[in-house]
Amino acid sequence: MSPVTGAPPAPVPPGEASVRPGEGSVPPGPAPVRRLTVLYDAQCPLCVHLRHWLQRQRQLVPLDLVPAGSAEARRRFPELDHAATLAEITVVGDLGQVYREAAAWIVCLWALAKYRSRAHWLTTPAGRPFARGTVLAAARYRSRALPPCAPGARECAAPPGAVGPPLTLGPW
C-alpha cells in the first residue's frame, strides 16, 4: 500500500527485475514491493494463529514473519519503535515502507494470491470501514487475551487458557 495513495504496492512485472531506473522502458512511479516483513506479537495467541495462517497461504510477495521486539526485529529494523510494533501489527517493505494498523492487514492480504482482489477492495471507500472494524475487533480480542505489560517489561506473559476457540476467517 502506498502511504500516499492508500493503494497496494505495484506488482513486479515479469522480466522487469533486472532493469535499472533510467534504463529500458520502466515507467516512472513507486518501486515495486518484492518482499514484506510482518512483525507480530509472539505472545498473542491470535497473532500466532494468524502467523501460521499466513504461512499456509500461497504468497505472490514473500512474507517474512518475525516476532515483534525480538533480537531479529531489532537487527533488521533498528530505526523502528519496537514497543509500538508490539502494540500494533507492523509490516515493513523491502524498500523501507512501513505499514501499521489496517494498512498492515491490507498489505498482508495483498501479498497473498487468494486475497489480493479483496485487499484492493479494502482500500476503497466501501471496504475501508470493514478493514478498520477488523483491526478494532482484533485489538479488543488481544486486550482480553493478554494482560497489560508491566512498564518497561521486555516480554509479557500470556494468561493460562487465553487461546479460546479456533478463529474463523470468514468466506473470502
PDB file of all heavy atoms in Angstrom, residues 36-39 63 88-93 97-100 103-105 107-108:
ATOM      1  N   LEU A  36       8.026  -8.583   2.015  1.00  0.00           N
ATOM      2  CA  LEU A  36       7.458  -7.893   3.171  1.00  0.00           C
ATOM      3  C   LEU A  36       7.855  -8.638   4.440  1.00  0.00           C
ATOM      4  O   LEU A  36       7.880  -9.868   4.460  1.00  0.00           O
ATOM      5  CB  LEU A  36       5.928  -7.844   3.086  1.00  0.00           C
ATOM      6  CG  LEU A  36       5.329  -7.019   1.950  1.00  0.00           C
ATOM      7  CD1 LEU A  36       3.854  -7.358   1.762  1.00  0.00           C
ATOM      8  CD2 LEU A  36       5.509  -5.544   2.229  1.00  0.00           C
ATOM      9  N   THR A  37       8.143  -7.883   5.491  1.00  0.00           N
ATOM     10  CA  THR A  37       8.407  -8.474   6.800  1.00  0.00           C
ATOM     11  C   THR A  37       7.251  -8.106   7.712  1.00  0.00           C
ATOM     12  O   THR A  37       6.942  -6.929   7.892  1.00  0.00           O
ATOM     13  CB  THR A  37       9.728  -7.954   7.397  1.00  0.00           C
ATOM     14  OG1 THR A  37      10.794  -8.278   6.492  1.00  0.00           O
ATOM     15  CG2 THR A  37      10.001  -8.580   8.753  1.00  0.00           C
ATOM     16  N   VAL A  38       6.601  -9.111   8.260  1.00  0.00           N
ATOM     17  CA  VAL A  38       5.478  -8.929   9.176  1.00  0.00           C
ATOM     18  C   VAL A  38       6.001  -9.096  10.593  1.00  0.00           C
ATOM     19  O   VAL A  38       6.516 -10.152  10.948  1.00  0.00           O
ATOM     20  CB  VAL A  38       4.360  -9.962   8.898  1.00  0.00           C
ATOM     21  CG1 VAL A  38       3.188  -9.766   9.854  1.00  0.00           C
ATOM     22  CG2 VAL A  38       3.910  -9.903   7.450  1.00  0.00           C
ATOM     23  N   LEU A  39       5.887  -8.035  11.390  1.00  0.00           N
ATOM     24  CA  LEU A  39       6.280  -8.085  12.799  1.00  0.00           C
ATOM     25  C   LEU A  39       5.019  -8.379  13.603  1.00  0.00           C
ATOM     26  O   LEU A  39       4.080  -7.593  13.602  1.00  0.00           O
ATOM     27  CB  LEU A  39       6.918  -6.766  13.215  1.00  0.00           C
ATOM     28  CG  LEU A  39       8.163  -6.369  12.419  1.00  0.00           C
ATOM     29  CD1 LEU A  39       8.635  -4.976  12.822  1.00  0.00           C
ATOM     30  CD2 LEU A  39       9.275  -7.392  12.601  1.00  0.00           C
ATOM     31  N   LEU A  63       6.525 -13.298   2.396  1.00  0.00           N
ATOM     32  CA  LEU A  63       6.338 -12.715   3.726  1.00  0.00           C
ATOM     33  C   LEU A  63       7.344 -13.340   4.685  1.00  0.00           C
ATOM     34  O   LEU A  63       7.392 -14.559   4.829  1.00  0.00           O
ATOM     35  CB  LEU A  63       4.927 -12.988   4.244  1.00  0.00           C
ATOM     36  CG  LEU A  63       3.760 -12.395   3.465  1.00  0.00           C
ATOM     37  CD1 LEU A  63       2.435 -12.890   4.031  1.00  0.00           C
ATOM     38  CD2 LEU A  63       3.815 -10.882   3.484  1.00  0.00           C
ATOM     39  N   GLU A  88       0.833  -2.899  17.923  1.00  0.00           N
ATOM     40  CA  GLU A  88       0.029  -2.998  16.702  1.00  0.00           C
ATOM     41  C   GLU A  88       0.834  -3.708  15.620  1.00  0.00           C
ATOM     42  O   GLU A  88       2.050  -3.596  15.565  1.00  0.00           O
ATOM     43  CB  GLU A  88      -0.387  -1.614  16.208  1.00  0.00           C
ATOM     44  CG  GLU A  88       0.772  -0.711  15.841  1.00  0.00           C
ATOM     45  CD  GLU A  88       0.363   0.714  15.519  1.00  0.00           C
ATOM     46  OE1 GLU A  88      -0.777   1.084  15.754  1.00  0.00           O
ATOM     47  OE2 GLU A  88       1.216   1.444  15.015  1.00  0.00           O
ATOM     48  N   ILE A  89       0.121  -4.446  14.769  1.00  0.00           N
ATOM     49  CA  ILE A  89       0.796  -5.136  13.676  1.00  0.00           C
ATOM     50  C   ILE A  89       1.539  -4.110  12.833  1.00  0.00           C
ATOM     51  O   ILE A  89       1.042  -3.017  12.562  1.00  0.00           O
ATOM     52  CB  ILE A  89      -0.187  -5.954  12.810  1.00  0.00           C
ATOM     53  CG1 ILE A  89       0.582  -6.701  11.704  1.00  0.00           C
ATOM     54  CG2 ILE A  89      -1.275  -5.080  12.244  1.00  0.00           C
ATOM     55  CD1 ILE A  89      -0.263  -7.650  10.894  1.00  0.00           C
ATOM     56  N   THR A  90       2.757  -4.466  12.461  1.00  0.00           N
ATOM     57  CA  THR A  90       3.598  -3.604  11.637  1.00  0.00           C
ATOM     58  C   THR A  90       4.189  -4.457  10.532  1.00  0.00           C
ATOM     59  O   THR A  90       4.672  -5.565  10.782  1.00  0.00           O
ATOM     60  CB  THR A  90       4.729  -2.978  12.479  1.00  0.00           C
ATOM     61  OG1 THR A  90       4.154  -2.270  13.580  1.00  0.00           O
ATOM     62  CG2 THR A  90       5.576  -2.027  11.660  1.00  0.00           C
ATOM     63  N   VAL A  91       4.127  -3.944   9.308  1.00  0.00           N
ATOM     64  CA  VAL A  91       4.699  -4.629   8.151  1.00  0.00           C
ATOM     65  C   VAL A  91       5.692  -3.666   7.510  1.00  0.00           C
ATOM     66  O   VAL A  91       5.389  -2.490   7.327  1.00  0.00           O
ATOM     67  CB  VAL A  91       3.609  -5.050   7.145  1.00  0.00           C
ATOM     68  CG1 VAL A  91       4.219  -5.715   5.922  1.00  0.00           C
ATOM     69  CG2 VAL A  91       2.591  -5.975   7.807  1.00  0.00           C
ATOM     70  N   VAL A  92       6.875  -4.189   7.182  1.00  0.00           N
ATOM     71  CA  VAL A  92       7.917  -3.362   6.575  1.00  0.00           C
ATOM     72  C   VAL A  92       8.244  -3.927   5.193  1.00  0.00           C
ATOM     73  O   VAL A  92       8.527  -5.122   5.057  1.00  0.00           O
ATOM     74  CB  VAL A  92       9.189  -3.330   7.449  1.00  0.00           C
ATOM     75  CG1 VAL A  92      10.243  -2.408   6.842  1.00  0.00           C
ATOM     76  CG2 VAL A  92       8.857  -2.891   8.876  1.00  0.00           C
ATOM     77  N   GLY A  93       8.187  -3.064   4.181  1.00  0.00           N
ATOM     78  CA  GLY A  93       8.541  -3.458   2.826  1.00  0.00           C
ATOM     79  C   GLY A  93      10.039  -3.484   2.633  1.00  0.00           C
ATOM     80  O   GLY A  93      10.795  -2.911   3.421  1.00  0.00           O
ATOM     81  N   GLN A  97       9.316   0.802   3.365  1.00  0.00           N
ATOM     82  CA  GLN A  97       7.941   1.233   3.592  1.00  0.00           C
ATOM     83  C   GLN A  97       7.443   0.618   4.907  1.00  0.00           C
ATOM     84  O   GLN A  97       7.731  -0.533   5.196  1.00  0.00           O
ATOM     85  CB  GLN A  97       7.006   0.760   2.467  1.00  0.00           C
ATOM     86  CG  GLN A  97       7.485   0.977   1.073  1.00  0.00           C
ATOM     87  CD  GLN A  97       8.279  -0.197   0.492  1.00  0.00           C
ATOM     88  OE1 GLN A  97       9.076  -0.828   1.159  1.00  0.00           O
ATOM     89  NE2 GLN A  97       8.063  -0.461  -0.776  1.00  0.00           N
ATOM     90  N   VAL A  98       6.706   1.396   5.694  1.00  0.00           N
ATOM     91  CA  VAL A  98       6.183   0.899   6.967  1.00  0.00           C
ATOM     92  C   VAL A  98       4.667   1.030   6.937  1.00  0.00           C
ATOM     93  O   VAL A  98       4.122   2.093   6.648  1.00  0.00           O
ATOM     94  CB  VAL A  98       6.768   1.685   8.164  1.00  0.00           C
ATOM     95  CG1 VAL A  98       6.147   1.222   9.469  1.00  0.00           C
ATOM     96  CG2 VAL A  98       8.285   1.515   8.212  1.00  0.00           C
ATOM     97  N   TYR A  99       3.980  -0.085   7.220  1.00  0.00           N
ATOM     98  CA  TYR A  99       2.518  -0.136   7.245  1.00  0.00           C
ATOM     99  C   TYR A  99       2.093  -0.531   8.648  1.00  0.00           C
ATOM    100  O   TYR A  99       2.664  -1.445   9.241  1.00  0.00           O
ATOM    101  CB  TYR A  99       2.001  -1.175   6.245  1.00  0.00           C
ATOM    102  CG  TYR A  99       2.548  -0.993   4.850  1.00  0.00           C
ATOM    103  CD1 TYR A  99       3.676  -1.687   4.429  1.00  0.00           C
ATOM    104  CD2 TYR A  99       1.947  -0.115   3.962  1.00  0.00           C
ATOM    105  CE1 TYR A  99       4.181  -1.525   3.155  1.00  0.00           C
ATOM    106  CE2 TYR A  99       2.446   0.058   2.683  1.00  0.00           C
ATOM    107  CZ  TYR A  99       3.560  -0.652   2.285  1.00  0.00           C
ATOM    108  OH  TYR A  99       4.068  -0.488   1.023  1.00  0.00           O
ATOM    109  N   ARG A 100       1.086   0.169   9.195  1.00  0.00           N
ATOM    110  CA  ARG A 100       0.581  -0.129  10.539  1.00  0.00           C
ATOM    111  C   ARG A 100      -0.939  -0.236  10.496  1.00  0.00           C
ATOM    112  O   ARG A 100      -1.581   0.246   9.572  1.00  0.00           O
ATOM    113  CB  ARG A 100       0.982   0.981  11.501  1.00  0.00           C
ATOM    114  CG  ARG A 100       2.460   0.993  11.835  1.00  0.00           C
ATOM    115  CD  ARG A 100       2.784   2.063  12.887  1.00  0.00           C
ATOM    116  NE  ARG A 100       4.108   1.931  13.420  1.00  0.00           N
ATOM    117  CZ  ARG A 100       5.205   2.390  12.832  1.00  0.00           C
ATOM    118  NH1 ARG A 100       5.133   3.006  11.669  1.00  0.00           N
ATOM    119  NH2 ARG A 100       6.386   2.224  13.391  1.00  0.00           N
ATOM    120  N   ALA A 103      -3.716  -0.674   7.377  1.00  0.00           N
ATOM    121  CA  ALA A 103      -2.857  -0.750   6.191  1.00  0.00           C
ATOM    122  C   ALA A 103      -1.962  -1.992   6.245  1.00  0.00           C
ATOM    123  O   ALA A 103      -1.693  -2.621   5.209  1.00  0.00           O
ATOM    124  CB  ALA A 103      -2.012   0.513   6.071  1.00  0.00           C
ATOM    125  N   ALA A 104      -1.510  -2.373   7.433  1.00  0.00           N
ATOM    126  CA  ALA A 104      -0.666  -3.562   7.569  1.00  0.00           C
ATOM    127  C   ALA A 104      -1.457  -4.828   7.236  1.00  0.00           C
ATOM    128  O   ALA A 104      -0.959  -5.718   6.531  1.00  0.00           O
ATOM    129  CB  ALA A 104      -0.094  -3.646   8.988  1.00  0.00           C
ATOM    130  N   TRP A 105      -2.677  -4.924   7.725  1.00  0.00           N
ATOM    131  CA  TRP A 105      -3.511  -6.087   7.408  1.00  0.00           C
ATOM    132  C   TRP A 105      -3.785  -6.152   5.910  1.00  0.00           C
ATOM    133  O   TRP A 105      -3.724  -7.210   5.299  1.00  0.00           O
ATOM    134  CB  TRP A 105      -4.839  -6.028   8.159  1.00  0.00           C
ATOM    135  CG  TRP A 105      -4.711  -6.288   9.617  1.00  0.00           C
ATOM    136  CD1 TRP A 105      -4.829  -5.370  10.619  1.00  0.00           C
ATOM    137  CD2 TRP A 105      -4.448  -7.536  10.256  1.00  0.00           C
ATOM    138  NE1 TRP A 105      -4.636  -5.988  11.830  1.00  0.00           N
ATOM    139  CE2 TRP A 105      -4.414  -7.307  11.637  1.00  0.00           C
ATOM    140  CE3 TRP A 105      -4.238  -8.827   9.781  1.00  0.00           C
ATOM    141  CZ2 TRP A 105      -4.177  -8.325  12.551  1.00  0.00           C
ATOM    142  CZ3 TRP A 105      -4.002  -9.837  10.700  1.00  0.00           C
ATOM    143  CH2 TRP A 105      -3.972  -9.577  12.064  1.00  0.00           C
ATOM    144  N   VAL A 107      -2.018  -4.904   3.397  1.00  0.00           N
ATOM    145  CA  VAL A 107      -0.832  -5.255   2.609  1.00  0.00           C
ATOM    146  C   VAL A 107      -0.491  -6.740   2.776  1.00  0.00           C
ATOM    147  O   VAL A 107       0.006  -7.372   1.842  1.00  0.00           O
ATOM    148  CB  VAL A 107       0.361  -4.324   2.899  1.00  0.00           C
ATOM    149  CG1 VAL A 107       1.110  -4.696   4.160  1.00  0.00           C
ATOM    150  CG2 VAL A 107       1.308  -4.275   1.711  1.00  0.00           C
ATOM    151  N   CYS A 108      -0.781  -7.331   3.933  1.00  0.00           N
ATOM    152  CA  CYS A 108      -0.598  -8.779   4.095  1.00  0.00           C
ATOM    153  C   CYS A 108      -1.520  -9.541   3.149  1.00  0.00           C
ATOM    154  O   CYS A 108      -1.090 -10.494   2.486  1.00  0.00           O
ATOM    155  CB  CYS A 108      -0.871  -9.209   5.539  1.00  0.00           C
ATOM    156  SG  CYS A 108       0.439  -8.811   6.695  1.00  0.00           S
TER     157      CYS A 108
END
